[in-house]
Amino acid sequence: MSTSVDILAPAGFVPQQAVSYATADGKAVAVNSTNPLPVAAAETRAATSAPLAGTATSETVAGPFAPQLGREIVLTLSGTFGGSARLLRSIDGGATKIATTVGGTALSWSGPVNEVVWVETEAAATLYLQIAVNSGAISYRVAQ
């Protein structure tokens, strides 16, 4: 298939660019109408778990939250409070809950937060939020 392009002054030329991809043997293959870019169908995502949400005014462990694998988990803590929250993980239905860590440091928050905190990769895992309140109330939400 041939396509003509008008060359307009002042350039006098048309820069050519081509997209290519690597084959299994490492050769570059140019993308064109007879050799389209190989793509995979988008993964069908199951419905996410309902958010784990509430307000705590005393020490509590909220959960479980059963995350969908491979998707970011967002923690939101809000309100006027003194206290902290830790994200716990279980792989035995909640019988044993262990603090999630990054670089050997437990994930813990003592003020308002709204950020991605975890990505789960193990099907049996459930998450819990351990909350300690010294004053006020902590509104929490764990969701995908």
Side-chain angles (χ1 to χ4, degrees):
M1 179 170 129
S2 176
T3 303
S4 64
V5 177
D6 292 334
I7 300 176
L8 303 174
F13 66 92
V14 175
Q16 297 265 328
Q17 293 181 346
V19 175
S20 61
Y21 63 92
T23 60
D25 62 358
K27 304 272 189 222
V29 176
V31 174
N32 57 43
S33 60
T34 59
N35 200 28
L37 186 64
V39 295
E43 176 185 329
T44 302
R45 295 185 181 227
T48 59
S49 295
L52 172 62
T55 300
T57 56
S58 62
E59 190 168 320
T60 188
V61 175
F65 177 75
Q68 185 181 26
L69 300 182
R71 293 193 59 201
E72 295 86 359
I73 297 163
V74 177
L75 172 65
T76 303
L77 298 176
S78 61
T80 303
F81 63 90
S84 62
R86 291 192 325 157
L87 186 65
L88 307 178
R89 181 176 180 267
S90 176
I91 56 169
D92 61 7
T96 307
K97 299 174 189 78
I98 300 172
T100 55
T101 61
V102 173
T105 302
L107 295 176
S108 179
W109 301 269
S110 58
V113 65
N114 185 29
E115 64 185 65
V116 173
V117 295
W118 195 254
V119 176
E120 187 53 62
T121 59
E122 189 171 350
T126 51
L127 300 174
Y128 299 80
L129 199 59
Q130 181 181 43
I131 301 169
V133 181
N134 300 327
S135 63
I138 299 176
S139 293
Y140 60 89
R141 185 172 191 270
V142 178
Q144 289 182 305

